[in-house]
Amino acid sequence: MNAVALDIQKIRQDFPILHQEVHGYPLVYLDSAATSQKPKSVIEALSRYYLETNANVHRGIHTLSELATSQFEATRSHVAHFIGGVANEEVIYTRGTTESINLVAQAWGDLNIQTGDRIVITEMEHHANFVPWLRLAKRKNAEIVYIPITGDGLLDLAEAEKLITPNTKLVAFTHMSNVLGTINPVGALTELAHKQGALVMVDGAQSVPHLQVDVHELDVDFYAFSAHKMLGPTGVGILYGKQQHLEAMEPYQTGGEMIHMVSFTDVSWADLPWKFEAGTPNIGDVVAFKSALDYLDEISMESIRQHEIEITQYAMDSLKATGVITIYGPEDVSLRGGAVSFVVDGVHSHDLSTILDTQGVAIRAGHHCAQPLHSRLGVNSTSRASFYIYNTLDEVDRLVDAILQARRYFVRG
Ligand code: 7TS
């Protein structure tokens, strides 16, 4: 499908939350990298589920349970199609990206990482794709090394090639940085990893909402993302894993739903994907997630990416034109997504976000769960504006005006 310009005003009509005032100003929501807003269709699907079909899945033989199960599994098929046409068995429901990565770190890591093995991650990881590997390395007495970033916020591929050694068992990295916006070359890194016999875990929390992702084409072993950053409800995540890896792994949690047979002395596991889905899952939110995927399909990922490029370019140009703002991450918008982190000369990022909030502009301030990256950048914190399908260029103007006003307040004369 070709990219068609998004009709932003029409899209905004689907997001009731955006039509409100905050501190007397029309809300400008620029924090979609933290969580996106939800269209009416998703909210209605959630309420319809509880009004009409709520029941537990995979157990009852009554009508509501069958309906709930078929809706729950329909979302799985849609996800499988959405990420490139994988098998349903390869799509595991979790609570979010964080849980998806922890699942791999425990269920795969425990079996496959030994003393002296190497785990390669990068300097730009979110803590969700950092702490589980650091912990695994410490637990197993393995070595963890970091692919460095270049001055313009890209991964240093020459260094990556040197770091991915024959004793490397896993290479884990983000597809799109939540701080720098950088889109990493998944294919090239995966090739380097596979050449050494290492598996690849990709954190897709920021990329799946913004890019067309085909995990087959990328040839990655594991890929994780969250529904709530892509118009869906909170509390639902996806772990994609190649079937042969998932088959070889032990369960992550045990209990109901994930067993084939239990006796007083023994237990056997359910088939994929249920082997990794112990307990009653988040049925209502999974069901509503399908409406989010329908919405994204309807407007198309190509058009979403085109809008992201346009608004990110406009924002970077406008922020730069102030002459008082340092932006982190690649300058070339074709290499980055719509999370733009920056520091305003003379204004602390927390003060900035507090002042912006008084003008109805919602941004994020802090280390964005990427403390090692911030220390690498030599700053304690940054401010971050992040854009999605409902943001307009006018809202970027509101952001820049509000920043300049805040600066006049803090930096007098
Ligand atoms: N990985 C990346 C790259 C992320 O941006 C986030 C969340 C996660 C993992 C964790 O996702 P979760 O759904 O399990 O929480 N990022 C952010 C953020 O940038 N601001 O708030 C959450």
Side-chain angles (χ1 to χ4, degrees):
M1 205 192 285
N2 284 329
V4 183
L6 294 183
D7 183 346
I8 308 295
Q9 290 311 326
K10 184 162 172 282
I11 287 173
R12 289 178 69 84
Q13 292 311 312
D14 297 328
F15 291 82
I17 200 170
L18 298 176
H19 306 283
Q20 64 176 300
E21 292 193 345
V22 170
H23 298 302
Y25 292 86
L27 168 65
V28 174
Y29 185 76
L30 301 179
D31 198 18
S32 292
T35 196
S36 78
Q37 296 303 349
K38 325 299 174 198
K40 263 187 298 198
S41 57
V42 170
I43 299 163
E44 285 164 4
L46 187 59
S47 106
R48 201 164 48 245
Y49 170 77
Y50 284 113
L51 288 170
E52 297 173 8
T53 47
N54 177 52
N56 214 329
V57 291
H58 302 138
R59 347 187 161 201
I61 318 194
H62 57 78
T63 303
L64 287 192
S65 176
E66 280 173 6
L67 270 175
T69 303
S70 79
Q71 290 178 9
F72 181 78
E73 290 302 326
T75 300
R76 197 190 309 273
S77 304
H78 200 141
V79 170
H81 177 74
F82 195 81
I83 57 172
V86 303
N88 284 6
E89 289 78 4
E90 296 176 313
V91 175
I92 315 291
Y93 291 133
T94 63
R95 282 191 300 121
T97 306
T98 302
E99 189 175 45
S100 298
I101 296 171
N102 274 279
L103 190 164
V104 177
Q106 288 187 36
W108 179 86
D110 273 350
L111 281 181
N112 291 284
I113 298 293
Q114 324 287 344
T115 301
D117 285 345
R118 177 176 277 205
I119 297 168
V120 177
I121 69 170
T122 85
E123 288 182 342
M124 68 168 78
E125 297 313 309
H126 185 281
H127 295 163
N129 199 29
F130 198 111
V131 182
W133 305 120
L134 188 59
R135 187 171 178 228
L136 175 66
K138 283 180 188 287
R139 196 162 73 232
K140 294 290 190 149
N141 211 5
E143 177 190 28
I144 182 161
V145 297
Y146 306 93
I147 301 172
I149 55 169
T150 63
D152 47 1
L154 301 171
L155 286 182
D156 185 333
L157 287 184
E159 280 304 311
E161 187 162 8
K162 285 187 219 151
L163 290 172
I164 301 170
T165 47
N167 67 332
T168 301
K169 290 292 178 327
L170 183 82
V171 181
F173 54 92
T174 186
H175 195 163
M176 186 191 281
S177 162
N178 67 319
V179 176
L180 303 168
T182 316
I183 299 172
N184 287 320
V186 178
L189 286 165
T190 301
E191 221 178 294
L192 288 177
H194 285 174
K195 221 164 52 187
Q196 301 293 1
L199 299 197
V200 171
M201 161 97 240
V202 175
D203 173 353
Q206 296 294 340
S207 45
V208 180
H210 300 270
L211 304 174
Q212 184 139 50
V213 171
D214 183 328
V215 294
H216 270 327
E217 194 178 294
L218 296 171
D219 195 28
V220 295
D221 298 286
F222 299 105
Y223 198 100
F225 56 102
S226 300
H228 72 92
K229 293 187 201 284
M230 50 191 294
L231 310 181
T234 50
V236 177
I238 300 294
L239 172 66
Y240 157 78
K242 282 184 181 166
Q243 190 154 351
Q244 79 256 29
H245 303 319
L246 296 175
E247 297 279 11
M249 283 154 61
E250 287 289 304
Y252 168 57
Q253 294 181 337
T254 53
E257 293 269 326
M258 53 71 66
I259 53 91
H260 172 60
M261 213 262 323
V262 185
S263 72
F264 281 109
T265 52
D266 212 359
V267 54
S268 57
W269 311 134
D271 291 336
L272 290 175
W274 304 293
K275 177 171 112 179
F276 293 105
E277 295 176 5
T280 299
N282 186 354
I283 309 164
D285 290 313
V286 164
V287 169
F289 181 32
K290 182 164 184 309
S291 295
L293 297 169
D294 287 335
Y295 196 99
L296 295 172
D297 280 345
E298 173 80 24
I299 56 180
S300 98
M301 295 312 291
E302 288 90 340
S303 299
I304 292 171
R305 176 64 183 145
Q306 188 187 50
H307 172 63
E308 178 169 73
I309 287 176
E310 187 192 352
I311 196 164
T312 305
Q313 183 75 67
Y314 185 73
M316 289 177 64
D317 290 346
S318 306
L319 291 169
K320 232 178 283 166
T322 63
V324 294
I325 292 176
T326 306
I327 301 175
Y328 296 92
E331 286 211 19
D332 180 348
V333 289
S334 71
L335 300 175
R336 63 174 298 148
V340 180
S341 298
F342 56 90
V343 168
V344 180
D345 185 23
V347 188
H348 191 277
S349 65
H350 283 115
D351 293 335
L352 183 72
S353 67
T354 304
I355 299 261
L356 261 54
D357 182 58
T358 64
Q359 298 181 45
V361 179
I363 62 164
R364 182 157 179 197
H367 52 63
H368 319 299
C369 299
Q371 267 184 328
L373 171 62
H374 278 76
S375 80
R376 166 73 178 78
L377 296 173
V379 288
N380 285 327
S381 70
T382 53
S383 299
R384 183 187 70 188
S386 54
F387 309 106
Y388 208 23
I389 54 175
Y390 34 67
N391 290 121
T392 65
L393 300 187
D394 285 347
E395 290 183 310
V396 174
D397 292 341
R398 287 264 318 272
L399 166 73
V400 175
D401 287 349
I403 292 173
L404 289 176
Q405 222 170 308
R407 189 162 188 280
R408 277 194 292 275
Y409 179 81
F410 281 102
V411 188
R412 290 174 201 276

